[in-house]
Structures are given as C-alpha cells and as structure tokens.
Amino acid sequence: MKTKLEINELQGIPLVVQEKLLHEINNGNVELIFATSPHFSTINQITVILNKDIPEAKRQELQESSWTKEVFKQFGVVVTFCIHIVFPFKSDYHLTYLSLYLNPQFIIYSRKDNSWGSLLQNFYTFSIRRQLSQLDNWVLEIKQKHEDYKVRFIASLVQEKQFQAVFIMYVHIIRFYLHSVQSMLFPKNTIIFNSDVELLESIEENYPELSQIFINNDIDKMYLCNLLDADCKTEITFEENDFAKVENICTVIQGQFEIAVNNFFIPRIEYLLSDLKGKQIFCKVEYEQFMLDAVIKRLLQSYDIDLVYLIESKVSNDSMEFLLFIVGSDIKIQMEQHISTLIRNHFNQRVEITCLLHKTTWIERHGTKFLPFIYERITDANVIYSRTPKKHSKFILPVFELPEDTDSSYWQKDFWKLCQDNLESQWLQMDLFSFSIYQIGHVAQLGSIFKQLCLTFLYKKLNYVPHFASPRYLWKLVQWADRDYSNELMSIEQSDAFFSFLNTKLPYFPRQSTSANNPSQEQYLNTLRICKDFYNRIKELYTN
C-alpha cells in the first residue's frame, strides 16, 4: 500500500493539484487518494477520501474551492473531496463508483497500510457475478421508482385533469434518470456542472454509450434541453401536445436506460475483475504480487525457465510493467519479442514485460564484466521463481570464486574508450562535423550509432549490456535505467518519429522513389540531433 505520494504516481496530474493534495495530506485531512484509470473514465478523476473526523463545513469548503473548477476547466480533471464512513454506513459514492474507481490498484496515497481495507473491503466484492448482481438490482430499483411515480402521482393527476402538474412530474422523472447516471460517474456533490444541460452535454461528449439514454433518434435534443433548462431560465408554457411529447421522452429514456447502463458498465467490471477471479485483494501491493505471479505462471506454461528475477516494476493507472531477468538452458535472446507479445496479449495490453534473457552459463562466462549489476540485482531478494531451491546459488556461484582483489571498474573505462572510438569513426564517415545533407546510407549509420549509444549508457547506469541490439529494445532498457532523462531526450511523439526514421527500408536496386517514401531532411536532422545530445550526455557521465 502506498503510504506517501510518489513522483511516478503523480505523472499526468497537474502541478496545482499535486500542491493542494500535499497541503491537505500534511494537515492530516486525507485518508486515501485514488486516480481513476482512463479506461474506466474518459474524464480524469482524482478522488480524495477525507478522514472521518473532518467536519462537513471543511469538506464543503474543499469541494467548493475555486481551484477545483479551474482545474476541470483547464485540464479536464475532476477533483472531489468526499467521505466514506463504515458505521453507520455513510458514503458519497454510488456502488458503481466504488466498483470501478475506488479499486485498490488505483490508490496513489494511503495514510495507513490498512486504510483501504478498514474503509472499503466490507462494501467491495471482487466477484464479477456479485458485482453484476448489484448493478442489476440497482437498475431494477430505478425502473421501479419510475413506475411508482406513474402509479402514485401521474395517474391520479391525469384523472383530475391536472395536466400542468403531470407535465412537471414527467420533467422531474427525466431529471431523475439524468442524476442517476451522474451518480454512477461522479461522487455526490461534485460541483463541476452549472446546469443539467451542461451535465447532459458532458455525458454526450465523454460517455457516448450513456448519452444514448437521452440523445437518440426518438428524442428531440433541443426540446429536451429546453425542458431541463426551464427552472434556470423561464418556465415553459404548457401546451396540449406537450403532454404526449414529454410522456414519449420518458418512455424512450426508460427503455434505453437498462441497455445503455449495461453496455457501459458490464465490460468495465469484467475487464477490471477478470484477472482476480473472485480473489479478494485488499491493497495495491497484494494486487501487484498477484499479477506478477500470474505472469510467471503464464511464462512457465510456454517456456523452459530455470530462474526469474524481478529487477524493477512500475505501476500506472492503465498498466503494470515488469523488468525481468530470465535464465534458462534453452533461452535465446531472440525470444524476447515473442515473450513480451505473449504476456501483453494474455493480459489484454495491461501488463508489459521487458526481459533480460540469458543462459545458465552467463555469469560463469561474463560475470566479471557485470559484477556491480549482479551484486545489486541478482540476489536472493530478487528471485521470484526458481525451478529448484539450489538453482539461484548455483547460478551465481562463479562470482564468489573470483579472486578477492578482482576489480571490474576498469571494464567501464575500456568499454567507453572502445565505444568512443567507434562513434567518432562513424561521425567522420557521415561528415557530421559540418552541415550534413541526408543520404540513404545515413539510416543504417545512425541506427548503428544509436545502438552503440544505448549500450554505452546502459553500462554506465546499470553495469549491464544485453546481447540483443534492437534499437527499440535497447531504448526500453534506457527508459528503465533513467526514465527522467529518457523523457527529456525524447518524448513519445519524438520517439515515434525517431524509430520511424530508423525503420526506413533501403532499396535493393536503384529505383525511382517519390519524396513520400523517403525521410525528409528535417527528420534526418532531428534524428541526428537526438543522437548528438545522447552522445554529449554519455560523454559527460563517463568523464565526470
């Protein structure tokens, strides 16, 4: 369980929100903070559960702060300050909001290790069947209330010919459905919409499945908006044909409600809980371990593996990433892409693994060059799978048989000298010390230069280099080694263009090529700039 806000957990959250959250945490007002996954909510939501001792006036003050509205207007992020008290049960959250948005895997802050468990586990089920049963019961409850309105109020009003009151009652039912949808998407008292019309337009823009309840071929949208806006502006004058018109709108909404709610929520509930299969997991750490165990189980079904070490893990709102060191007698480095794709597809794109693949003789043959990496990463604490109890000790035994005065530091200096000579030789071949004009051969040369840069960077940062030299694979390892610098060097958009340039296919025979099939001078210069910046950074690392 997260007991503090971490930088990687806050990525994508506006700085003003980070500052406000930290302020409230430091004041002891916050129990839990969740960041919803974009897969479940098009509108990004930061949900703050306040301590139970926070008075209602303070909660209202936080919720109605002007900055929360500005954050929504400027960044599209909804920040809500809510309460959830177990005994007596008092909550600002609808059951669907609890199910989808307050799952333990979305926690970015917890005051105590057991905060989520003590507040929510009694009202949360990890069973898909039970979750869907809860949803069915709620939909049935909404439909029953609609029928009650018709029997208890509308029927008697029609009998008494109180058509103006009937008209008002139907408008009330329309609002009832609209606010029911709102309660599924946002906590109670969320103050981001100034009117029901704004709410309806937001649902139409961000949740098209749910907007089908109110905006479809059988409903005049303009007329519906006028009905919802009546209290805010002028009263609509009731005419004879309005009775049938508004009655028809209510009938259409009633028919669409169950269909749209099920189409929206059932796939999300199944997606969220499919991996858990009814297993109750009450904290984020347990969820990460559960998923890691599932990854290992899937790998063992397809590959003959002796050892697996967890080097590092990263968890975002959308997915989990694991950097694994895998050892096996029949392991080949070329299997990396197949293994990664297997796991990605098995977990519906939600789990990503990067593999460092080696045979059981790797340490025996190359251990001296990688001693710092082995001592830090290939340890008892990092083992997450071993075919037999002695596999790990047997694998690392060669490094303990080295002479006591063994020093691997000179490998870095020699490696840097070798790489520097290779790089500068290729710079000269491309005539990069003067203004360079793109030529077809530069693709292969820059690809070679980039791979050499990645290997040099990895050896300095991790004391490790892989045998596999795919540019994209090496870049993934660079991102693991130093995510901040990799983001600084290349954004996601820049990296897409960069690797697109390196993937330029070279012709086997002379042919007439169109400019559309060839990289532009600008693409070439951008790629060249990135390589030069990368080289200067590495040179600085090795010489300081």
Short mmCIF file of all heavy atoms in Angstrom, two decimals, residues 464-488:
data_model
loop_
_atom_site.label_atom_id
_atom_site.label_comp_id
_atom_site.label_asym_id
_atom_site.label_seq_id
_atom_site.Cartn_x
_atom_site.Cartn_y
_atom_site.Cartn_z
N TYR A 464 25.45 -3.10 -17.06
CA TYR A 464 24.88 -4.23 -17.78
C TYR A 464 24.69 -3.84 -19.24
O TYR A 464 24.29 -2.71 -19.54
CB TYR A 464 23.53 -4.63 -17.18
CG TYR A 464 22.79 -5.67 -17.98
CD1 TYR A 464 23.04 -7.02 -17.78
CD2 TYR A 464 21.85 -5.31 -18.94
CE1 TYR A 464 22.37 -7.99 -18.51
CE2 TYR A 464 21.17 -6.27 -19.68
CZ TYR A 464 21.43 -7.60 -19.47
OH TYR A 464 20.79 -8.55 -20.21
N VAL A 465 24.98 -4.79 -20.14
CA VAL A 465 24.62 -4.63 -21.55
C VAL A 465 24.02 -5.95 -22.04
O VAL A 465 24.51 -7.02 -21.68
CB VAL A 465 25.81 -4.23 -22.45
CG1 VAL A 465 26.29 -2.83 -22.13
CG2 VAL A 465 26.95 -5.23 -22.34
N PRO A 466 22.95 -5.88 -22.82
CA PRO A 466 22.34 -7.12 -23.35
C PRO A 466 23.06 -7.55 -24.62
O PRO A 466 23.82 -6.78 -25.23
CB PRO A 466 20.91 -6.68 -23.64
CG PRO A 466 21.05 -5.23 -24.02
CD PRO A 466 22.18 -4.69 -23.17
N HIS A 467 22.78 -8.78 -25.04
CA HIS A 467 23.32 -9.25 -26.31
C HIS A 467 22.43 -8.82 -27.47
O HIS A 467 22.89 -8.74 -28.60
CB HIS A 467 23.42 -10.79 -26.30
CG HIS A 467 24.43 -11.30 -25.32
ND1 HIS A 467 24.32 -12.50 -24.67
CD2 HIS A 467 25.58 -10.75 -24.86
CE1 HIS A 467 25.35 -12.68 -23.87
NE2 HIS A 467 26.12 -11.63 -23.96
N PHE A 468 21.18 -8.55 -27.17
CA PHE A 468 20.20 -8.18 -28.20
C PHE A 468 20.36 -6.70 -28.52
O PHE A 468 20.41 -5.87 -27.62
CB PHE A 468 18.80 -8.47 -27.67
CG PHE A 468 17.74 -8.49 -28.73
CD1 PHE A 468 17.97 -9.01 -29.99
CD2 PHE A 468 16.48 -7.99 -28.45
CE1 PHE A 468 16.98 -9.04 -30.94
CE2 PHE A 468 15.47 -8.02 -29.40
CZ PHE A 468 15.71 -8.55 -30.64
N ALA A 469 20.44 -6.36 -29.80
CA ALA A 469 20.76 -4.98 -30.17
C ALA A 469 19.66 -4.33 -31.01
O ALA A 469 19.95 -3.49 -31.86
CB ALA A 469 22.08 -4.93 -30.93
N SER A 470 18.42 -4.68 -30.79
CA SER A 470 17.33 -3.99 -31.46
C SER A 470 17.22 -2.58 -30.88
O SER A 470 17.20 -2.40 -29.66
CB SER A 470 16.01 -4.74 -31.23
OG SER A 470 14.90 -3.89 -31.42
N PRO A 471 17.14 -1.52 -31.73
CA PRO A 471 17.06 -0.15 -31.20
C PRO A 471 15.89 0.06 -30.24
O PRO A 471 16.06 0.68 -29.19
CB PRO A 471 16.90 0.70 -32.47
CG PRO A 471 17.52 -0.11 -33.56
CD PRO A 471 17.23 -1.53 -33.20
N ARG A 472 14.71 -0.46 -30.56
CA ARG A 472 13.56 -0.27 -29.68
C ARG A 472 13.74 -0.99 -28.35
O ARG A 472 13.37 -0.49 -27.30
CB ARG A 472 12.27 -0.75 -30.36
CG ARG A 472 11.76 0.21 -31.43
CD ARG A 472 10.38 -0.21 -31.90
NE ARG A 472 9.86 0.69 -32.92
CZ ARG A 472 9.18 1.81 -32.66
NH1 ARG A 472 8.96 2.15 -31.41
NH2 ARG A 472 8.74 2.56 -33.64
N TYR A 473 14.30 -2.19 -28.39
CA TYR A 473 14.54 -2.94 -27.17
C TYR A 473 15.56 -2.21 -26.30
O TYR A 473 15.37 -2.07 -25.08
CB TYR A 473 15.05 -4.34 -27.53
CG TYR A 473 15.49 -5.15 -26.34
CD1 TYR A 473 14.56 -5.64 -25.42
CD2 TYR A 473 16.84 -5.46 -26.14
CE1 TYR A 473 14.96 -6.40 -24.34
CE2 TYR A 473 17.25 -6.22 -25.05
CZ TYR A 473 16.30 -6.68 -24.16
OH TYR A 473 16.70 -7.44 -23.07
N LEU A 474 16.63 -1.74 -26.90
CA LEU A 474 17.64 -1.02 -26.13
C LEU A 474 17.06 0.26 -25.53
O LEU A 474 17.39 0.63 -24.39
CB LEU A 474 18.84 -0.68 -27.02
CG LEU A 474 19.69 -1.88 -27.48
CD1 LEU A 474 20.75 -1.43 -28.47
CD2 LEU A 474 20.33 -2.58 -26.29
N TRP A 475 16.18 0.93 -26.28
CA TRP A 475 15.58 2.16 -25.77
C TRP A 475 14.67 1.86 -24.57
O TRP A 475 14.62 2.63 -23.62
CB TRP A 475 14.80 2.86 -26.88
CG TRP A 475 14.17 4.14 -26.42
CD1 TRP A 475 12.84 4.43 -26.38
CD2 TRP A 475 14.85 5.31 -25.93
NE1 TRP A 475 12.65 5.70 -25.90
CE2 TRP A 475 13.86 6.27 -25.62
CE3 TRP A 475 16.18 5.63 -25.75
CZ2 TRP A 475 14.17 7.52 -25.12
CZ3 TRP A 475 16.50 6.89 -25.25
CH2 TRP A 475 15.51 7.82 -24.93
N LYS A 476 13.97 0.73 -24.60
CA LYS A 476 13.16 0.33 -23.45
C LYS A 476 14.04 0.17 -22.21
O LYS A 476 13.66 0.59 -21.10
CB LYS A 476 12.44 -0.99 -23.74
CG LYS A 476 11.23 -0.85 -24.64
CD LYS A 476 10.70 -2.21 -25.07
CE LYS A 476 10.18 -3.00 -23.89
NZ LYS A 476 9.61 -4.32 -24.33
N LEU A 477 15.22 -0.40 -22.37
CA LEU A 477 16.13 -0.57 -21.24
C LEU A 477 16.67 0.78 -20.76
O LEU A 477 16.84 0.99 -19.55
CB LEU A 477 17.29 -1.49 -21.63
CG LEU A 477 16.93 -2.93 -21.97
CD1 LEU A 477 18.19 -3.75 -22.20
CD2 LEU A 477 16.09 -3.57 -20.88
N VAL A 478 16.92 1.69 -21.69
CA VAL A 478 17.35 3.04 -21.30
C VAL A 478 16.26 3.71 -20.47
O VAL A 478 16.54 4.38 -19.47
CB VAL A 478 17.69 3.88 -22.56
CG1 VAL A 478 17.87 5.35 -22.19
CG2 VAL A 478 18.96 3.34 -23.23
N GLN A 479 15.01 3.53 -20.87
CA GLN A 479 13.90 4.11 -20.10
C GLN A 479 13.83 3.52 -18.70
O GLN A 479 13.52 4.22 -17.74
CB GLN A 479 12.59 3.88 -20.85
CG GLN A 479 12.48 4.70 -22.13
CD GLN A 479 11.21 4.40 -22.90
OE1 GLN A 479 10.89 3.24 -23.18
NE2 GLN A 479 10.46 5.43 -23.25
N TRP A 480 14.11 2.23 -18.57
CA TRP A 480 14.15 1.62 -17.25
C TRP A 480 15.32 2.17 -16.44
O TRP A 480 15.18 2.42 -15.23
CB TRP A 480 14.30 0.10 -17.37
CG TRP A 480 13.02 -0.62 -17.61
CD1 TRP A 480 12.59 -1.14 -18.79
CD2 TRP A 480 11.99 -0.91 -16.66
NE1 TRP A 480 11.36 -1.74 -18.64
CE2 TRP A 480 10.97 -1.62 -17.33
CE3 TRP A 480 11.82 -0.65 -15.30
CZ2 TRP A 480 9.82 -2.06 -16.70
CZ3 TRP A 480 10.68 -1.09 -14.67
CH2 TRP A 480 9.69 -1.78 -15.35
N ALA A 481 16.46 2.38 -17.10
CA ALA A 481 17.66 2.83 -16.38
C ALA A 481 17.52 4.26 -15.87
O ALA A 481 17.99 4.59 -14.78
CB ALA A 481 18.88 2.70 -17.29
N ASP A 482 16.88 5.12 -16.66
CA ASP A 482 16.75 6.53 -16.26
C ASP A 482 15.55 7.13 -16.99
O ASP A 482 15.70 7.71 -18.07
CB ASP A 482 18.02 7.30 -16.60
CG ASP A 482 18.07 8.68 -15.95
OD1 ASP A 482 16.99 9.22 -15.67
OD2 ASP A 482 19.18 9.20 -15.73
N ARG A 483 14.37 6.99 -16.40
CA ARG A 483 13.15 7.43 -17.08
C ARG A 483 13.12 8.95 -17.24
O ARG A 483 12.65 9.47 -18.26
CB ARG A 483 11.92 6.96 -16.30
CG ARG A 483 10.60 7.22 -17.02
CD ARG A 483 9.48 6.44 -16.41
NE ARG A 483 9.61 5.02 -16.66
CZ ARG A 483 9.13 4.42 -17.75
NH1 ARG A 483 8.50 5.12 -18.67
NH2 ARG A 483 9.26 3.12 -17.92
N ASP A 484 13.61 9.68 -16.25
CA ASP A 484 13.59 11.14 -16.34
C ASP A 484 14.43 11.62 -17.52
O ASP A 484 13.99 12.47 -18.31
CB ASP A 484 14.11 11.76 -15.04
CG ASP A 484 13.14 11.60 -13.89
OD1 ASP A 484 11.95 11.37 -14.16
OD2 ASP A 484 13.58 11.68 -12.73
N TYR A 485 15.65 11.09 -17.65
CA TYR A 485 16.49 11.53 -18.75
C TYR A 485 15.94 11.07 -20.10
O TYR A 485 15.97 11.83 -21.08
CB TYR A 485 17.93 11.03 -18.59
CG TYR A 485 18.76 11.37 -19.81
CD1 TYR A 485 19.10 12.71 -20.07
CD2 TYR A 485 19.15 10.40 -20.73
CE1 TYR A 485 19.82 13.05 -21.21
CE2 TYR A 485 19.86 10.74 -21.85
CZ TYR A 485 20.20 12.06 -22.10
OH TYR A 485 20.90 12.39 -23.23
N SER A 486 15.42 9.85 -20.17
CA SER A 486 14.88 9.36 -21.44
C SER A 486 13.70 10.23 -21.90
O SER A 486 13.57 10.51 -23.09
CB SER A 486 14.45 7.90 -21.31
OG SER A 486 13.40 7.75 -20.38
N ASN A 487 12.87 10.66 -20.95
CA ASN A 487 11.76 11.56 -21.31
C ASN A 487 12.28 12.92 -21.77
O ASN A 487 11.69 13.57 -22.64
CB ASN A 487 10.82 11.75 -20.12
CG ASN A 487 10.03 10.49 -19.81
OD1 ASN A 487 9.84 9.64 -20.66
ND2 ASN A 487 9.58 10.38 -18.57
N GLU A 488 13.36 13.35 -21.16
CA GLU A 488 13.97 14.63 -21.55
C GLU A 488 14.57 14.55 -22.95
O GLU A 488 14.47 15.48 -23.75
CB GLU A 488 15.05 14.99 -20.53
CG GLU A 488 15.80 16.27 -20.85
CD GLU A 488 16.96 16.49 -19.88
OE1 GLU A 488 16.86 16.05 -18.71
OE2 GLU A 488 17.97 17.10 -20.29
#
